[in-house]
Amino acid sequence: MLASVRTCALKGIDGFEVIAEVDISSGMPTFSVVGLPDTEVKESKDRVMAAIRNSGFDFPLKRITINLSPAERRKSGTQFDLPIAAGILAASQSISQDGIQKLENLLLLGELALDGSLRPCAGVLPMLISAKNSGKVVVVPPGNILEAQTSGVKFITPRTLRDLADWLDGKKEDQAVQISFIPAEQEAMPSPLDFCDVKGQALAKRALEIAAAGGHNVLMIGLPGTGKSMLAKRFPGILPPLSEEEALEITKIYSVCNLIGKTKRLTDRPFRDPHHTISDVALIGGGTTPKPGEVSLAHNGVLFLDEFAEFSRTTLEVLRQPLENGMVTISRAKESVSYPARFTLIAAMNPCPCGNLGNPHKPCTCSPVQISRYQSKISGPLLDRIDLNVTLNPVQYGDWNKPAEGDTTAQIRARVIAARQRQQVRFKNSGTTANAFMTQKQIKAFCQLPPGADQILEAAMRKFGLSARSLDKVLKTARTIADLENKENIENAHLIEVLQYRPLDRKGVPDL
């Protein structure tokens, strides 16, 4: 007998519908799965066999063929266990005819344990979103209930395969419920880390405020102990709250990586800080079965790379595409997938391997060759994609001994939110979320130069060797400063302030 059960699979962070066709016929007992299944899908037959038997059903000792349609698209994940098991029960008539008819209006997702209980699987949210318009009731494991609630679909959550079969046969009451999206625009919880705890470094604090207000990338260079990591860890506290659309994008990525419930609240902007030994695949994403990397996990949030020059050069160079396009495309022989990667890069590094280059109290022990090799890991094209470069000076005892001073995180965040609100009005319905992501057309429209600005930019380009991309970043950053000051137009003072945050265009990594 033939039975069909609807389920879903993933391509990138988008889902597509799959039909699991189950055919049981006479012949030697075999169990095969076709339709481009990956290893975890092929292994499902052992889990399904044990789950069916341990749920009190007789497993048919016949020729069983499972076809996952469309057969030309690769299938991966453990969510096929439940639809395959349900299809076998339907094809072997282990459930009633009424149950088989109810099964036709369901979409099933779930991994099966050997005892027949349902375990959570990865990527449920994007799969449910793709199936939202089908009007079908979705069956998900209890461990994926948060994602089912977020998607707004109608769903049921049986605990075991036996529970599902009893529900199909009418032995259990209808558990289907309708729950809409949980808004993410609630006030973020106050961070225990406050900007006023960082002693001195007024220039760096100002640069991070500009970065938060416009989504700009920042590189901080300074001696060990000058506060680079302290500032970076406080940076998420001044970012604006997530919109509903941004929260949903982040949740889809974390769902694909099976990280829902294992990280911060879904209403917080991501903050990813990988170790400098990370591989380029782990950073950018990929693998035999492509998965999102750290740059995608930092989407709509912050990617903090401490000890920036300690990362391998090949690892750093893969950042070029996401920094430029906000997207990562991973190509394989049979398919190509894309993951969003629009993040704010906060990088921190020492001026040399020992960290004491320019230290008036400790001599540098690095040779000129070591210093050159260390600094050359940060290539010119990569530096060109970083909007703000800040040199942190050593903290003096007088500054260290002072009580907390300066603006608090809450005060800075209020200014950042006000600046972002101006940008939301400016870029309404354009797809642009912040000044850093403006297109060339938007730069021309919203970054009109004041009288005398041409001479300033021409002199800067001639003297410092600024590229065309650098000039665009200068204009975008100046637009952000104007937004922070609630100015309608860019002023010459804004351009001059931006140019002081680009010392690397002038002389490379500074000697402090």
Side-chain angles (χ1 to χ4, degrees):
M1 185 175 175
L2 178 67
S4 297
V5 180
R6 295 184 182 274
T7 182
C8 279
L10 285 172
K11 182 177 181 182
I13 62 168
D14 296 314
F16 62 93
E17 189 173 283
V18 173
I19 299 176
E21 299 173 323
V22 181
D23 178 70
I24 300 179
S25 59
S26 301
M28 290 291 293
T30 58
F31 192 158
S32 60
V33 182
V34 297
L36 282 183
D38 276 350
T39 303
E40 62 264 33
V41 183
K42 293 178 181 178
E43 291 177 347
S44 67
K45 60 185 179 182
D46 296 314
R47 295 191 295 269
V48 168
M49 289 173 63
I52 289 177
R53 289 189 176 122
N54 292 325
S55 298
F57 298 100
D58 292 328
F59 189 84
L61 297 177
K62 295 183 178 181
R63 181 182 180 88
I64 302 174
T65 304
I66 313 293
N67 177 45
L68 302 177
S69 176
E72 75 275 5
R73 303 185 74 171
R74 184 165 295 279
K75 323 298 186 309
S76 62
T78 60
Q79 72 274 10
F80 298 105
D81 290 6
L82 184 59
I84 289 174
I88 291 174
L89 293 180
S92 63
Q93 297 184 328
S94 295
I95 54 179
S96 66
Q97 194 62 37
D98 290 340
I100 294 175
Q101 291 179 356
K102 287 178 70 175
L103 190 61
E104 294 176 354
N105 294 318
L106 297 179
L107 189 146
L108 280 64
L109 301 169
E111 177 184 333
L112 285 174
L114 298 185
D115 62 356
S117 59
L118 270 65
R119 290 178 174 169
C121 49
V124 167
L125 178 60
M127 289 188 281
L128 294 185
I129 291 174
S130 69
K132 191 172 182 179
N133 294 329
S134 69
K136 295 187 178 299
V137 177
V138 181
V139 179
V140 295
N144 294 118
I145 190 170
L146 176 61
E147 294 164 87
Q149 290 174 333
T150 303
S151 69
V153 299
K154 198 174 183 180
F155 66 95
I156 61 172
T157 55
R159 297 181 60 187
T160 65
L161 179 61
R162 169 57 76 174
D163 286 345
L164 176 62
D166 289 345
W167 178 79
L168 290 171
D169 287 336
K171 298 176 183 178
K172 281 185 177 289
E173 64 181 21
D174 196 335
Q175 300 174 4
V177 292
Q178 175 74 44
I179 301 180
S180 60
F181 179 78
I182 300 173
E185 293 186 285
Q186 52 184 289
E187 183 67 20
M189 295 181 65
S191 172
L193 305 175
D194 203 299
F195 261 80
C196 66
D197 295 332
V198 181
K199 306 299 176 68
Q201 310 303 358
L203 187 65
K205 292 179 183 178
R206 171 66 172 172
L208 290 180
E209 179 179 344
I210 296 170
H216 305 285
N217 304 313
V218 182
L219 172 60
M220 297 182 287
I221 305 174
L223 301 176
T226 51
K228 302 185 294 294
S229 297
M230 285 185 68
L231 287 165
K233 291 176 181 178
R234 284 156 175 76
F235 183 74
I238 63 174
L239 291 174
L242 287 167
S243 67
E244 180 178 312
E245 182 180 355
E246 289 174 330
L248 195 57
E249 285 182 336
I250 295 169
T251 308
K252 287 172 65 176
I253 296 170
Y254 277 65
S255 175
V256 170
C257 296
N258 202 21
L259 292 175
I260 299 235
K262 301 175 184 178
T263 57
K264 297 170 64 179
R265 300 180 311 150
L266 301 179
T267 52
D268 294 332
R269 289 188 180 271
F271 180 82
R272 307 293 297 185
D273 54 344
H275 193 261
H276 62 77
T277 56
I278 190 173
S279 67
D280 52 346
V281 172
L283 183 64
I284 205 71
T288 305
T289 301
K291 294 290 184 183
E294 289 290 333
V295 295
S296 295
L297 292 172
H299 181 60
N300 289 329
V302 181
L303 178 66
F304 174 45
L305 300 184
D306 201 6
E307 305 298 342
F308 196 43
E310 295 293 347
F311 288 78
S312 70
R313 177 152 186 165
T314 56
T315 300
L316 292 178
E317 291 305 305
V318 300
L319 290 172
R320 290 195 198 180
Q321 183 193 13
L323 286 175
E324 187 72 18
N325 304 326
M327 185 71 67
V328 172
T329 300
I330 300 169
S331 298
R332 294 292 180 264
K334 293 185 178 180
E335 66 176 349
S336 177
V337 297
S338 296
Y339 298 111
R342 181 75 72 188
F343 57 88
T344 298
L345 174 66
I346 304 294
M349 62 178 285
N350 297 322
C352 69
C354 77
N356 292 321
L357 183 64
N359 191 330
H361 306 294
K362 293 182 180 179
C364 175
T365 59
C366 305
S367 68
V369 174
Q370 288 176 315
I371 296 173
S372 175
R373 185 183 300 116
Y374 179 81
Q375 296 180 353
S376 65
K377 284 188 179 180
I378 318 300
S379 66
L382 182 58
L383 280 175
D384 214 29
R385 289 164 167 81
I386 297 177
D387 308 61
L388 303 166
N389 307 313
V390 187
T391 301
L392 278 70
N393 296 314
V395 179
Q396 303 300 319
Y397 178 79
D399 293 329
W400 176 84
N401 198 35
K402 287 181 180 178
E405 61 178 4
D407 291 339
T408 64
T409 292
Q411 291 172 323
I412 299 174
R413 187 170 188 265
R415 295 196 293 266
V416 167
I417 291 175
R420 284 289 185 108
Q421 288 173 344
R422 297 183 188 101
Q423 293 167 48
Q424 288 175 4
V425 174
R426 179 182 305 132
F427 303 128
K428 187 176 181 181
N429 299 326
S430 68
T432 302
T433 57
N435 287 333
F437 314 131
M438 280 193 286
T439 63
Q440 287 295 323
K441 186 176 180 180
Q442 289 170 333
I443 292 175
K444 292 180 180 179
F446 303 122
C447 299
Q448 298 293 328
L449 294 177
D454 287 333
Q455 291 82 353
I456 294 174
L457 294 179
E458 184 181 2
M461 192 172 187
R462 183 176 61 253
K463 185 175 181 181
F464 305 146
L466 299 180
S467 66
R469 181 189 287 114
S470 295
L471 284 180
D472 286 343
K473 289 191 174 296
V474 168
L475 293 178
K476 293 176 183 179
T477 311
R479 178 66 266 174
T480 299
I481 296 175
D483 289 338
L484 283 169
E485 297 179 0
N486 197 17
K487 299 290 182 64
E488 185 67 27
N489 298 307
I490 295 175
E491 299 177 357
N492 288 332
H494 303 151
L495 294 171
I496 294 172
E497 181 179 358
V498 174
L499 291 174
Q500 73 174 327
Y501 294 118
R502 302 195 64 87
L504 303 191
D505 290 315
R506 301 194 290 271
K507 56 181 180 179
V509 178
D511 297 338
L512 296 178

